[in-house]
Each structure stands twice: as C-alpha cells, then as structure tokens.
Amino acid sequence: MKNHYSRLKLKLQTNGALQPAAWEMIQSQIHVDLLAIGDGLVRDNNGISFLAEGVLKEYDVVRRKQPHIVHFLMQGDFFYHSTHHCKRYVKAITPSVVYSLNQHQLQLLPAVFKELRPIYDKVCENYDEQLTQRSRLLEMVFTERIQYFKSSFAVILPYLKKKDIAQYLSISYNYLIETWKL
C-alpha cells in the first residue's frame, strides 16, 4: 500500500503544490477499496477516487435498456462522483485498488488547506476531458476510431475484451475483429 500512496501523492503534486501536513491529512481520510475482477464500486455522491492499481470500466445506464461502456480507467486515473454521474458505475476488469474521499472529506480538506481546491478542480477537469475524448472519438470514421483507441489505451489493451472495445467504439464486434490488425 505504501507504493500506492506514493503514486497518489505524485499524481496530486503534478496538479499543484502539496504541503506535508495536507498530505498527512489526506492519508488519514482515505477509504481503500480492494476490488476483484467483476466487482463494482459503490460511489458516494460528490466524492472522488484514485485508481491506484488495476483497470476499471465505467458504465452509464441513462436512457438505455442495457448499460453502456463510456470509459476505461487505468492505473493512476482519478474519477469523481457527482449527482450528475449518479447513473454511472464502475466494474473491475483486473484486481484493483481504489482510494476514495467522500463529500464531507472533500469539503473539510480545502477548508484547512487552501491549495487543495485548485488541485481538486484540475483533477476533475482532467476526468471530464477523458470523458469527452469518447465523444470526439465517435466523430471519426471507424478505422480511425480503432487506431486512435489502440494508441490511447495501449497500456491496458491486453486486459480488454474485444466486445467491450466494440461497444465503447459503437461499432459492430464483427467489424472490429475484421479490422483490428490493420
């Protein structure tokens, strides 16, 4: 777990300065979830999480008969939970370790350490940017989608099922299989 904490600390520091006392308080407030393959994560409204280890897929159920994959999360990614995201959930593709802070903790920490507010805002902005990546991806022609996906998610490709990739890219499974090696 110590190595995971250092990953989280480094990721936070890439988004802004972090006082040692702020880091100590963050560590004391973190909730840790250990997920097995296929496990879902219960998300607190207005909380934030850090994927310390593993790979997750994020589903959206809004106006769908079946949940649809809208994002893949890799080790080192942050993701937040708001009332806007209440119809989304994540499932573990690989054994995963997730660190979370709930709404109360997210209000308390910046009240004590002012530098944490811009860090939080930047983390949320990065996550939102990742989610909009899919919208841009869907505007591409099918072959470009596949190539872009392969380059963007190269690190986690060995863990992903082709049917999940096809669903994420909104293309047929058969077409994906036919053009995957191109």
Side-chain angles (χ1 to χ4, degrees):
M1 288 293 192
K2 190 83 168 150
N3 187 28
H4 297 305
Y5 279 141
S6 61
R7 279 188 206 142
L8 172 59
K9 183 179 182 182
L10 181 61
K11 190 73 170 193
L12 288 171
Q13 288 174 325
T14 61
N15 292 297
L18 186 65
Q19 293 180 45
W23 174 241
E24 290 297 321
M25 190 170 181
I26 290 169
Q27 285 184 90
S28 72
Q29 300 292 316
I30 289 176
H31 173 77
V32 180
D33 285 296
L34 304 174
L35 305 175
I37 296 172
D39 284 354
L41 178 68
V42 177
R43 298 162 82 166
D44 288 327
N45 264 348
N46 300 317
I48 192 164
S49 296
F50 174 75
L51 182 55
E53 184 178 307
V55 180
L56 303 174
K57 54 185 168 181
E58 184 173 7
Y59 289 91
D60 188 1
V61 297
V62 174
R63 289 179 252 157
R64 292 182 168 92
K65 291 179 184 175
Q66 292 186 0
H68 193 80
I69 298 170
V70 293
H71 190 44
F72 292 103
L73 296 151
M74 299 181 252
Q75 178 176 301
D77 283 344
F78 281 98
F79 54 104
Y80 69 87
H81 338 284
S82 67
T83 9
H84 172 71
H85 293 109
C86 67
K87 299 291 185 185
R88 290 193 175 164
Y89 65 93
V90 294
K91 283 179 87 171
I93 294 174
T94 65
S96 300
V97 179
V98 180
Y99 295 152
S100 299
L101 294 169
N102 65 32
Q103 179 181 9
H104 172 71
Q105 294 157 334
L106 289 173
Q107 291 170 342
L108 174 68
L109 288 165
V112 178
F113 301 100
K114 301 291 185 216
E115 78 270 16
L116 294 179
R117 173 44 80 191
I119 291 173
Y120 172 77
D121 291 343
K122 184 67 175 164
V123 163
C124 290
E125 181 183 320
N126 290 341
Y127 175 65
D128 288 339
E129 179 62 29
Q130 289 175 353
L131 290 177
T132 59
Q133 173 185 3
R134 183 168 184 268
S135 297
R136 288 190 301 273
L137 187 75
L138 294 178
E139 294 173 1
M140 298 176 185
V141 296
F142 291 164
T143 53
E144 289 175 347
R145 281 184 210 177
I146 294 168
Q147 293 308 315
Y148 185 83
F149 181 86
K150 287 166 87 172
S151 65
S152 296
F153 293 97
V155 174
I156 63 169
L157 281 178
Y159 306 105
L160 303 180
K161 295 178 182 175
K162 296 284 192 292
K163 71 176 185 71
D164 289 345
I165 296 170
Q167 185 188 72
Y168 176 82
L169 295 174
S170 290
I171 59 177
S172 79
Y173 174 78
N174 291 336
Y175 181 83
L176 179 74
I177 296 304
E178 289 172 12
T179 57
W180 185 256
K181 300 228 188 244
L182 298 178

